[in-house]
Amino acid sequence: MRIAIGYFAHETNTFCPGTTSLAAFRETQWEEGEELIRKNRGVRNDVGGMIAAAEWLGIELVPTLGTTTQPSATVSTEAYTTIRDEIFARIRAAGDLDAICLTLHGAGSAEGIDDMEGTFLRELRAVVGDEIPVVVSLDLHGNTTQAMLDYATALFYCHEYPHIDMYERGEEIVEVAAKIVQGELKPVMHLRTLPVAIPPTTSFSGPVKAINERCFAWEGKPGVLDCNFTHGFPYTDVPVIVTSVLVVTDNDPALAKEAADDVAAYALSMIEDFRPHLPDAEEAVAQALAATDLPVIIAEISDNCGGGAPGSGTHLLRALLAANEPDTCFGFLVDPATAMQAHEAGVGATIPVRLGGFTDELHGAPIEAEAYVKCLTDGRFVLTTPMGAGQLEDYGKMARLVIGNVDVIVGTARSQTFDEGVFLLHGIDVRRVRIAALKSQQHFRAGFEPIAGTIIRCDTPGLTTSNLANLPYTRITRPIWPLDPLPEG
Ligand SMILES: [Zn+2]
């Protein structure tokens, strides 16, 4: 059996200015042909799972292209068409294929294309026809559309946030594709959309944990292949942003609808539990200083590169520097100019810095300070968090600066902080500090919950705020909770 694989993932934050270029994809992750297999074998991501399943099932994989970049502005026409055409050309050149397995995101938007995944799948069908199974894994922040259902054979979203189950979804789509080819499965899907936009909410506790348990109970019933509470992505201002329940059954549409309706009603019954109550930067630092279970991790959720924010915002850093307490650190601030300045000055130098705040006014003004250059690195390390373990990260030139009593790491590339790796790279053992501050919405939990005494999430003015009422929506479909009351019925 021969299955073509590939991935094309972008989480589009339409509130970011400009467009996301082809160069951004090429510079972040661009894996062609055999490189796609070589770089992902054993990595805890979707493609790693696809490779593992294919190897134990004896399936020949035909690798096409894998590319992604940090969540950011609307994908440019050039980026979309180039990536699409590269994947299609490799599929055309592959010869006889039994199935196609792809990882997409679900929250992609390109110039003039609100629903990038639905459009991509429709255009793929024009190339490969209607008969071949196209089985897709996605990120639970995807906005599911009718076009995606119409043109994919089956869609499997990850269930966990942090996304620690991407590897299992990768395995699953290859296993499902193989069973479809062998005539053992005939997936049918039912989508139930909810009139809500939920702020990013972890599945490790709270309402999503409860909703997932209900989904998993349905998955335990015969005939249910997948039952997924799909969060949607509230930072894509397009008419199709949706939280939804998507159920895949083995040729049983009534069962799929029954499960979707049940989970949807259950989720709506606890919608108020999704309303965030988060401290601002000053309050978060005050709470951290009062905490006795150490270390305290403070996550600035509203300047999360993983949702499209710049990562150079200064609100939380300013509050931490003002406290000026020993054994406190910040990892990390995206600030290429300061990282370069530190590398040019060298270890042991004291330099005047102007930290962050260079993209817009929303994320705070630059911070001027005297900084001691403690160490310099190339920004490369391997993730150890269950989400993506084994993956090489490369944040470019980085530096550990000391400002007063606070250690501040600055870096070149945009990324959220997933695990302690970026601290260790700079000689900081976060297990032994009092407060470690970072920028991440929820993914940090997978790496830090096992080692943190206290976790505090803080919401400052930023592009990934949990206070959705602060976002300048113009295109989403109304009414939608929490901007509007939950519609009756
Ligand atoms: Zn996600």
Side-chain angles (χ1 to χ4, degrees):
M1 191 181 301
R2 298 180 83 230
I3 297 180
I5 63 166
Y7 75 90
F8 175 20
H10 189 254
E11 186 177 78
T12 304
N13 185 326
T14 59
F15 298 113
C16 299
T19 58
T20 297
S21 66
L22 179 61
F25 285 92
R26 285 195 182 276
E27 288 163 13
T28 307
Q29 218 155 321
W30 187 275
E31 298 160 351
E32 293 182 14
E34 288 301 323
E35 192 184 18
L36 181 61
I37 293 188
R38 187 162 44 79
K39 287 203 170 163
N40 291 284
R41 180 180 278 119
V43 177
R44 293 277 315 167
N45 63 18
D46 299 78
V47 180
M50 287 190 229
I51 295 166
E55 288 182 349
W56 84 62
L57 292 169
I59 292 167
E60 179 191 349
L61 291 184
V62 180
T64 61
L65 171 71
T67 186
T68 185
T69 189
Q70 284 293 328
S72 46
T74 302
V75 175
S76 74
T77 299
E78 184 197 18
Y80 174 74
T81 56
T82 304
I83 293 164
R84 176 198 64 191
D85 292 349
E86 181 68 29
I87 293 173
F88 290 1
R90 287 174 178 272
I91 286 174
R92 279 197 190 94
D96 286 342
L97 291 170
D98 297 294
I100 298 170
C101 289
L102 297 171
T103 295
L104 305 175
H105 185 283
S109 281
E111 290 178 283
I113 302 175
D114 287 340
D115 172 16
M116 194 169 82
E117 288 80 6
T119 303
F120 179 87
L121 290 165
R122 177 172 53 77
E123 292 173 339
L124 175 64
R125 282 294 181 199
V127 172
V128 300
D130 295 333
E131 298 304 316
I132 187 169
V134 175
V135 187
V136 180
S137 69
L138 298 122
D139 183 303
L140 59 71
H141 294 110
N143 300 308
T144 317
T145 63
Q146 189 58 43
M148 291 162 67
L149 268 68
D150 288 346
Y151 298 108
T153 310
L155 305 168
F156 291 87
Y157 284 87
C158 66
H159 292 261
E160 301 290 350
Y161 183 28
H163 305 329
I164 55 173
D165 60 332
M166 298 181 298
Y167 184 88
E168 285 76 12
R169 298 290 78 73
E171 290 179 315
E172 187 168 27
I173 62 172
V174 168
E175 288 180 283
V176 166
K179 286 186 178 169
I180 297 169
V181 172
Q182 285 158 350
E184 295 170 16
L185 271 186
K186 190 173 185 303
V188 294
M189 294 184 275
H190 188 89
L191 176 69
R192 170 72 196 272
T193 60
L194 307 179
V196 305
I198 59 170
T201 307
T202 185
S203 63
F204 285 10
S205 59
V208 180
K209 185 164 193 278
I211 294 166
N212 273 358
E213 281 164 7
R214 193 130 174 154
C215 289
F216 297 148
W218 275 104
E219 288 185 4
K221 295 181 196 285
V224 179
L225 302 178
D226 196 55
C227 177
N228 194 288
F229 178 63
T230 314
H231 300 203
F233 190 61
Y235 308 110
T236 318
D237 185 19
V238 294
V240 292
I241 75 162
V242 278
T243 300
S244 61
V245 181
L246 178 66
V247 180
V248 188
T249 63
D250 184 12
N251 201 22
D252 191 339
L255 179 62
K257 181 177 187 308
E258 184 188 356
D261 287 346
D262 173 70
V263 174
Y266 185 62
L268 287 176
S269 76
M270 57 178 71
I271 199 67
E272 280 302 320
D273 294 346
F274 285 91
R275 200 182 286 279
H277 304 280
L278 298 174
D280 64 13
E282 289 73 23
E283 176 60 24
V285 171
Q287 286 179 11
L289 291 171
T292 52
D293 287 333
L294 305 181
V296 182
I297 305 297
I298 311 178
E300 187 172 28
I301 61 119
S302 38
D303 185 24
N304 174 28
C305 293
S312 53
T314 53
H315 297 297
L316 177 59
L317 178 59
R318 188 182 304 280
L320 194 68
L321 290 173
N324 198 31
E325 290 288 327
D327 296 322
T328 62
C329 58
F330 194 97
F332 65 98
L333 184 78
V334 178
D335 189 336
T338 302
M340 179 62 81
Q341 183 192 0
H343 276 253
E344 285 173 354
V347 170
T350 297
I351 54 175
V353 293
R354 190 175 157 82
L355 292 168
F358 51 82
T359 59
D360 55 39
E361 290 184 0
L362 177 66
H363 297 86
I367 297 172
E368 298 195 4
E370 290 281 301
Y372 174 77
V373 182
K374 179 78 176 174
C375 81
L376 303 168
T377 74
D378 62 0
R380 293 184 193 175
F381 64 97
V382 175
L383 288 180
T384 56
T385 170
M387 180 184 157
Q391 181 159 308
L392 175 68
E393 297 288 272
D394 183 352
Y395 301 159
K397 282 187 167 56
M398 301 191 85
R400 172 181 171 186
L401 307 174
V402 183
I403 300 173
N405 287 321
V406 185
D407 284 291
V408 179
I409 300 170
V410 295
T412 298
R414 289 177 60 238
S415 177
Q416 66 185 302
T417 297
F418 290 96
D419 63 25
E420 60 184 321
V422 76
F423 291 96
L424 289 170
L425 182 68
H426 294 90
I428 298 172
D429 180 355
V430 285
R431 296 163 195 248
R432 302 175 75 89
V433 302
R434 185 172 174 197
I435 299 173
L438 53 83
K439 293 174 185 284
S440 174
Q441 181 67 256
Q442 299 283 7
H443 285 327
F444 73 98
R445 288 182 185 277
F448 286 94
E449 276 194 0
I451 60 175
T454 305
I455 284 178
I456 299 169
R457 295 169 68 241
C458 86
D459 197 352
T460 63
L463 270 182
T464 52
T465 178
S466 276
N467 190 350
L468 303 183
N470 283 352
L471 294 169
Y473 289 110
T474 59
R475 300 189 59 218
I476 57 169
T477 304
R478 307 285 288 262
I480 192 165
W481 183 96
L483 308 181
D484 307 300
L486 201 59
E488 296 287 325

